[in-house]
C-alpha cells in the first residue's frame, strides 16, 4: 500500500471518530441544559468547558472577542462547533475531511461504507441552517452519531482484516484515547477550581465526564452511583474492559501495530513500540487514587503530549504526512489536524475515447489482434467504466499478462477492408505530490542495496533492445548531474536533464527507434525520452519501468505530449512503491497522467498488435481525453 493511501485511511478513521465524539459532547450538553436548574450550573461556564473540549481554550477567547461580548450564547457556540468552516474541528469539517479521505481510497473500502458516509456528507450541506431550533440541532447530532456507528459497523462486518483495516483502526483508537484524556483534563481542571463550590457540583462534573465519553451506564453497572472522582478517573483511564478507557484504546493501537509488523520489532518499528510501551508503563506506575488535582492535571497533560508524539512517530514510521499540531499558550499539545493543503491531494475524473482505424488496400481475412487499452485499477487510479467497440463486430477474450496489464484478444475470420477499434473509459485518479518530500533514510538505503531487493525487481534492472545505452552515453549524463548518492534525487535529476537537453520532435524518430539512437539525436517524443531515462537508471542499478497511458492537457497547460498515447517512467522507491516521473514535462506523474499499462519497454505495452493476411494498411489514431465534472 502506498503511504499516501495509508495516510488517507488513517485520517479517515480519526476524522470519523472526532466527528462522532464532538456530536455526542454537544448532544449531552443540550440535554443537560434542559435537565439542570439554574441553581445547579452556570451555563456560560459549561459552554466554556464544551468549547475547550471540542476546540481549545484559546479559540474560546477568540470566539468571545469576535462576538464582541463576554456573555456566551449557546446557539452561536453550537453553530460554531457544528458547522463553522473556520473551525477545523467542527463536525461539518470533520465529515468533509473523512469523506475526502474515503473518496481517495474507495477501492480499499466497502461500497456500502461510501454510500453511508457520502449520503451524510450531502445531508450536512443542507443542514447548515443558522438559528436552528434545539430540536433540529439535536436531530442533526443524533444523525451524526448513528451514521458514524453504522459506517464503522459496516467496516467491522464486511472489511478484510488487512493493512487498510489496521490503519483505519489505529486512527480511531488514537483519536478516542486522546479525546478521553482531553475530557478528563478539562473536567478535572474545572472541578479543581470549584472544590469549594456548592454541594453537588463534584457529582455533576464527574457525571458529565462519564456522559461525554458515553460511559455513564457502564460505570453504574460496575460501581455504586457515587461519583467519586478517583473511581471515575480510574475507570476511564485504566479499565481493561471499557472501550473508551485510555488503556483499552492504547492496547488496541499496539495490537494493530503488532499485526502490521507481523509480530516483529524491526529497526523501522522499534521507536513506535518503545513509545507505546513507555506510555503503558505509566498506567502501571501511577496510582491514580494517590494523586492530588495538580498532579492529576499534569499527568493528563503529559498523556495528551505523549499521544500526539505517538501520532508523530507513527507518521514517521509509515511515511505518512506529518500532522499539524495546534499548541496551546502553555506549550501543551492540542489537537492534531490532518495536513490541510488540498492542492497536494488532487482528485480527477476523465473520459477517454481512443479510436484506431485501419484501412487496407485490399481485402483482409483472418485478422488476429491484441489490444492493451483498458486502464489500470490500483491504489492511485480507479477504472469506473470501460467499453470496447470493434468493427467488424467481434467478441473479445481478456487475460492479465505477466506485468499485470489487462489484455484483450479478438479474431475476425471474414473479409474486411476496414478495422475500427474504439474504446471508451472513465477513470478517477487521486495522487499527491510525494517524491520531493521523501527523506531517503538509512533504512531505505539498506533495502536498496540488498540482494533480495535486486532479485525481486530484476526484470526492471535489465536493459532491453529499446532501453540499452552505450557506456559513454551514460557517463555523459553522470558527468553532468553527478554520481548516485541518493537514488530518489538521482532519478529527479535525470528527469530534469532529459527535459532540458532533449527537443520534443515527432518527425525525428519512429516507433522502432532505440534509446541510443535518440540519445545521439537529442530529440524525439515521449517514448524516446522514456527509453533513455530507463537506460540511465538501470545502468545505475535503479529499478524502473515503462508506463503507457494518456496525458490530460487542459487549457493553458504547459504540459506537452502526443495527441495519442503518452509514456513516462516509474521508479521503485524502497518502502514507498512505484513513483511516476515524466521526463517529457519534468514533472512527477500526478492527476493528469492516466495509466494503462506498465512493462520493461514499449514492446510490453504496445496498445494494439496483430497479424492479418492481406495488403498494406493505413492507420489513423484519434484520442480524446476530457475532464468529467
Amino acid at each position: 500500500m502506498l503511504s499516501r493511501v495509508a495516510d488517507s485511511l488513517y485520517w479517515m478513521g480519526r476524522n470519523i471518530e472526532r466527528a462522532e465524539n464532538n456530536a455526542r459532547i454537544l448532544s449531552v450538553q443540550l440535554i443537560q441544559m434542559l435537565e439542570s436548574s439554574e441553581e445547579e450550573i452556570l451555563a456560560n461556564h459549561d459552554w466554556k468547558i464544551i468549547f475547550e473540549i471540542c476546540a481549545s481554550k484559546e479559540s474560546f477567547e477568540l470566539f468571545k472577542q469576535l462576538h464582541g461580548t463576554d456573555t456566551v450564547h449557546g446557539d452561536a457556540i453550537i453553530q460554531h462547533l457544528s458547522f463553522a468552516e473556520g473551525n477545523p474541528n467542527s463536525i461539518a469539517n470533520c465529515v468533509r475531511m473523512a469523506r475526502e479521505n474515503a473518496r481517495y481510497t474507495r477501492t480499499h473500502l466497502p461500497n456500502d461504507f461510501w454510500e453511508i458516509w457520502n449520503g451524510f456528507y450531502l445531508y450536512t450541506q443542507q443542514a447548515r441552517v443558522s438559528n436552528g431550533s434545539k430540536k433540529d440541532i439535536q436531530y442533526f447530532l443524533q444523525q451524526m452519531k448513528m451514521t458514524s456507528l453504522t459506517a464503522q459497523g459496516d467496516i467491522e462486518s464486511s472489511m478484510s482484516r488487512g493493512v487498510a483495516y489496521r490503519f483505519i483502526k489505529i486512527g480511531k483508537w488514537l483519536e478516542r484515547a486522546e479525546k478521553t484524556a482531553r475530557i478528563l483534563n478539562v473536567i478535572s481542571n474545572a472541578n479543581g477550581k470549584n472544590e469549594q463550590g456548592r454541594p453537588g457540583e463534584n457529582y455533576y462534573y464527574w457525571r458529565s465526564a462519564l456522559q461525554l465519553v458515553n460511559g455513564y451506564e457502564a460505570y453504574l453497572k460496575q460501581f455504586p452511583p457515587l461519583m467519586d472522582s478517583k473511581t471515575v478517573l480510574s475507570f476511564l483511564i485504566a479499565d481493561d474492559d471499557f472501550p473508551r478507557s485510555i488503556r483499552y484504546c492504547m492496547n488496541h493501537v499496539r495490537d494493530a501495530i503488532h499485526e502490521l509488523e507481523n509480530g516483529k520489532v524491526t529497526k523501522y518499528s522499534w521507536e513506535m513500540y518503545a513509545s507505546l510501551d513507555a506510555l503503558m508503563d505509566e498506567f502501571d506506575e501511577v496510582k491514580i487514587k494517590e494523586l492530588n488535582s495538580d498532579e492529576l492535571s499534569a499527568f493528563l497533560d503529559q498523556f495528551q503530549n505523549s499521544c500526539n508524539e505517538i501520532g508523530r512517530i507513527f507518521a514517521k514510521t509509515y511515511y505518512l504526512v506529518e500532522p499539524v499540531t495546534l499548541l496551546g499558550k502553555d506549550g501543551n499539545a492540542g489537537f492534531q489536524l490532518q495536513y490541510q493543503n488540498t492542492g497536494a491531494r488532487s482528485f480527477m475524473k476523465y473520459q477517454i475515447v481512443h479510436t484506431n482505424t485501419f484501412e487496407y488496400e485490399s481485402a483482409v481475412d483472418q485478422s488476429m489482434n491484441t489490444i492493451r487499452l483498458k486502464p489500470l485499477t490500483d491504489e492511485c487510479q480507479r477504472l469506473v467504466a470501460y467499453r470496447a467497440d470493434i468493427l467488424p463486430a467481434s467478441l473479445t477474450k481478456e487475460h492479465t499478462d505477466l506485468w499485470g496489464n489487462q489484455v484483450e484478444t479478438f479474431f475476425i475470420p471474414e473479409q474486411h477492408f476496414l478495422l475500427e477499434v474504439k474504446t471508451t473509459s472513465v477513470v478517477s485518479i487521486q495522487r499527491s505530490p510525494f517524491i520531493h518530500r521523501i527523506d531517503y533514510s538509512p533504512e531505505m538505503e539498506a533495502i536498496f542495496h540488498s540482494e533480495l531487493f535486486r532479485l525481486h525487481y530484476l526484470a526492471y534492472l535489465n536493459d532491453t533492445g529499446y532501453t540499452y545505452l552505450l557506456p559513454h552515453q551514460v557517463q555523459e549524463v553522470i558527468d553532468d548531474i553527478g554520481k548516485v548518492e541518493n537514488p530518489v534525487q538521482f532519478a529527479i535529476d535525470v528527469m530534469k536533464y532529459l527535459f532540458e537537453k532533449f527537443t520534443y520532435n515527432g518527425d525525428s524518430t519512429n516507433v522502432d527507434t532505440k534509446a541510443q539512437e535518440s540519445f545521439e539525436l537529442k530529440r524525439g517524443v515521449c517514448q524516446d525520452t522514456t527509453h533513455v531515462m530507463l537506460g540511465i537508471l538501470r545502468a545505475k542499478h535503479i529499478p524502473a519501468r515503462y508506463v503507457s497511458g494518456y496525458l490530460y492537457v487542459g487549457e493553458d497547460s504547459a504540459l506537452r505530449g502526443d495527441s495519442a498515447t503518452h509514456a513516462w517512467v516509474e521508479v521503485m522507491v524502497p518502502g514507498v512503491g512505484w513513483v511516476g516521473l515524466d521526463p517529457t514535462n519534468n514533472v512527477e506523474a500526478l492527476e493528469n497522467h492516466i495509466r494503462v499499462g506498465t512493462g520493461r519497454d514499449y514492446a510490453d505495452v504496445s496498445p494494439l498488435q496483430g497479424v492479418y493476411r492481406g495488403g498494406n494498411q493505413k492507420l489513423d489514431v484519434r484520442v480524446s481525453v476530457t475532464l468529467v465534472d
Side-chain angles (χ1 to χ4, degrees):
M1 176 182 292
L2 290 183
S3 56
R4 69 196 77 172
V5 177
D7 181 70
S8 291
L9 292 169
Y10 168 75
W11 278 105
M12 186 190 77
R14 292 201 70 154
N15 281 312
I16 290 174
E17 183 67 22
R18 186 171 298 180
E20 180 193 341
N21 286 335
N22 287 352
R24 175 176 287 104
I25 291 165
L26 285 177
S27 179
V28 168
Q29 173 66 1
L30 288 175
I31 293 173
Q32 286 182 346
M33 288 177 62
L34 297 175
E35 292 179 344
S36 303
S37 65
E38 293 182 358
E39 289 76 22
E40 290 176 322
I41 64 168
L42 295 173
N44 288 359
H45 184 65
D46 275 6
W47 279 119
K48 181 179 179 181
I49 292 174
I50 296 302
F51 211 109
E52 188 173 345
I53 291 173
C54 294
S56 68
K57 187 185 301 182
E58 290 72 24
S59 60
F60 180 73
E61 297 302 324
L62 179 62
F63 178 82
K64 289 198 299 183
Q65 293 176 14
L66 291 175
H67 285 73
T69 177
D70 290 332
T71 303
V72 180
H73 297 286
D75 290 344
I77 290 181
I78 290 172
Q79 289 294 323
H80 182 80
L81 297 180
S82 297
F83 302 115
E85 294 183 3
N87 175 16
N89 289 304
S90 71
I91 295 172
N93 271 335
C94 291
V95 170
R96 178 183 62 82
M97 290 300 295
R99 188 249 191 180
E100 289 302 296
N101 294 139
R103 188 164 65 126
Y104 296 144
T105 56
R106 280 189 66 179
T107 55
H108 297 272
L109 299 169
N111 287 332
D112 288 342
F113 172 85
W114 167 255
E115 297 296 336
I116 293 167
W117 200 258
N118 187 54
F120 184 74
Y121 164 78
L122 297 175
Y123 165 72
T124 62
Q125 304 307 297
Q126 302 172 353
R128 299 186 182 195
V129 180
S130 60
N131 300 321
S133 68
K134 296 291 191 299
K135 181 179 179 181
D136 292 337
I137 291 294
Q138 189 66 271
Y139 177 77
F140 167 76
L141 298 176
Q142 291 295 332
Q143 289 297 108
M144 173 68 255
K145 291 190 292 182
M146 294 308 298
T147 299
S148 175
L149 293 173
T150 304
Q152 294 194 53
D154 185 66
I155 288 175
E156 294 296 333
S157 62
S158 57
M159 192 168 180
S160 298
R161 270 40 177 178
V163 175
Y165 175 84
R166 304 297 174 196
F167 273 96
I168 294 172
K169 292 291 102 177
I170 290 171
K172 168 187 172 179
W173 294 115
L174 274 177
E175 180 68 28
R176 182 174 292 184
E178 184 182 332
K179 181 66 79 174
T180 300
R182 190 176 190 86
I183 289 171
L184 292 178
N185 203 0
V186 173
I187 294 294
S188 178
N189 287 336
N191 187 54
K193 293 176 182 177
N194 290 275
E195 285 181 345
Q196 305 302 321
R198 291 166 296 183
E201 284 189 350
N202 183 66
Y203 175 91
Y204 167 75
Y205 279 114
W206 292 114
R207 187 192 68 171
S208 297
L210 289 167
Q211 290 175 331
L212 293 177
V213 299
N214 201 27
Y216 185 59
E217 292 182 10
Y219 176 84
L220 291 182
K221 291 175 182 178
Q222 188 172 345
F223 300 97
L226 176 63
M227 292 299 143
D228 176 66
S229 60
K230 303 300 184 182
T231 306
V232 173
L233 286 168
S234 180
F235 176 72
L236 294 180
I237 291 175
D239 192 272
D240 287 316
D241 300 318
F242 179 57
R244 289 184 179 271
S245 77
I246 296 172
R247 180 193 290 275
Y248 186 97
C249 294
M250 300 313 294
N251 279 337
H252 277 68
V253 170
R254 198 185 194 286
D255 289 344
I257 293 174
H258 185 78
E259 293 292 334
L260 282 176
E261 295 294 326
N262 294 319
K264 299 177 182 178
V265 179
T266 65
K267 57 185 176 183
Y268 285 107
S269 61
W270 72 266
E271 187 178 5
M272 186 80 244
Y273 278 112
S275 59
L276 283 169
D277 290 343
L279 186 63
M280 299 305 293
D281 287 343
E282 292 183 22
F283 295 135
D284 296 330
E285 295 173 4
V286 174
K287 305 299 183 183
I288 296 172
K289 294 185 178 180
E290 298 177 2
L291 296 177
N292 59 38
S293 59
D294 292 336
E295 292 171 335
L296 181 62
S297 179
F299 167 73
L300 292 171
D301 276 339
Q302 178 58 37
F303 174 79
Q304 279 188 260
N305 289 327
S306 298
C307 194
N308 281 327
E309 179 65 11
I310 288 173
R312 187 195 65 78
I313 294 173
F314 182 78
K316 174 186 174 184
T317 302
Y318 295 101
Y319 301 101
L320 309 184
V321 178
E322 286 282 351
V324 178
T325 303
L326 301 180
L327 296 177
K329 293 180 180 178
D330 56 2
N332 290 323
F335 284 103
Q336 284 194 334
L337 302 176
Q338 186 175 4
Y339 183 62
Q340 297 290 315
N341 185 358
T342 54
R345 294 175 178 272
S346 299
F347 178 89
M348 295 291 196
K349 182 182 285 187
Y350 302 101
Q351 182 183 66
I352 307 103
V353 180
H354 185 149
T355 306
N356 291 283
T357 305
F358 295 87
E359 294 183 8
Y360 303 103
E361 290 182 351
S362 58
V364 167
D365 60 7
Q366 296 186 9
S367 173
M368 175 70 76
N369 299 277
T370 299
I371 58 174
R372 292 178 175 83
L373 296 171
K374 188 173 184 178
L376 298 172
T377 290
D378 56 22
E379 63 274 0
C380 293
Q381 175 175 295
R382 187 168 66 94
L383 180 61
V384 179
Y386 174 79
R387 174 174 176 170
D389 296 305
I390 300 170
L391 186 68
S394 176
L395 296 175
T396 62
K397 187 175 182 179
E398 186 173 338
H399 71 275
T400 303
D401 69 11
L402 181 63
W403 316 109
N405 306 313
Q406 298 303 308
V407 184
E408 296 174 282
T409 60
F410 60 91
F411 175 66
I412 302 176
E414 67 268 23
Q415 287 191 346
H416 53 281
F417 289 88
L418 180 141
L419 171 63
E420 182 179 272
V421 179
K422 178 181 178 182
T423 59
T424 305
S425 310
V426 178
V427 177
S428 64
I429 297 177
Q430 67 88 13
R431 290 196 180 94
S432 57
F434 192 82
I435 194 167
H436 293 281
R437 292 189 278 112
I438 293 177
D439 180 17
Y440 190 68
S441 64
E443 292 81 7
M444 294 171 72
E445 184 177 11
I447 294 175
F448 178 79
H449 291 290
S450 69
E451 183 69 9
L452 181 62
F453 184 76
R454 187 188 71 83
L455 292 175
H456 189 75
Y457 295 104
L458 188 61
Y460 302 110
L461 287 168
N462 292 329
D463 273 313
T464 68
Y466 270 113
T467 65
Y468 177 72
L469 291 173
L470 297 172
H472 78 270
Q473 294 175 324
V474 176
Q475 190 59 45
E476 181 180 329
V477 179
I478 301 301
D479 292 341
D480 193 292
I481 67 176
K483 296 181 180 180
V484 183
E485 296 181 357
N486 177 341
V488 178
Q489 186 59 48
F490 180 79
I492 296 173
D493 294 340
V494 171
M495 175 178 68
K496 181 181 179 183
Y497 171 89
L498 295 176
F499 176 76
E500 294 175 346
K501 300 293 185 180
F502 274 57
T503 301
Y504 188 85
N505 188 321
D507 298 326
S508 57
T509 59
N510 57 54
V511 72
D512 296 318
T513 302
K514 306 300 188 292
Q516 53 185 289
E517 301 172 51
S518 54
F519 187 90
E520 294 300 326
L521 293 171
K522 294 294 191 296
R523 63 181 62 245
V525 294
C526 55
Q527 174 184 311
D528 302 304
T529 52
T530 297
H531 280 148
V532 171
M533 184 169 177
L534 288 173
I536 297 169
L537 296 178
R538 290 174 183 175
K540 306 314 292 183
H541 312 293
I542 300 174
R545 65 185 184 183
Y546 187 101
V547 185
S548 175
Y550 306 104
L551 179 66
Y552 173 70
V553 182
E555 295 182 5
D556 302 323
S557 174
L559 297 177
R560 59 190 182 185
D562 294 338
S563 58
T565 57
H566 191 61
W568 60 94
V569 173
E570 282 187 343
V571 179
M572 172 49 64
V573 179
V576 175
W578 292 105
V579 178
L581 297 173
D582 183 355
T584 305
N585 295 289
N586 191 32
V587 296
E588 185 176 354
L590 298 174
E591 67 277 0
N592 289 66
H593 293 72
I594 305 157
R595 298 160 68 244
V596 173
T598 63
R600 297 165 299 177
D601 56 25
Y602 171 78
D604 288 336
V605 295
S606 176
L608 196 150
Q609 298 172 319
V611 293
Y612 64 91
R613 193 161 60 184
N616 292 332
Q617 66 178 11
K618 180 182 178 182
L619 172 63
D620 177 54
V621 180
R622 286 168 291 152
V623 174
S624 169
V625 182
T626 56
L627 186 63
V628 178
D629 186 2

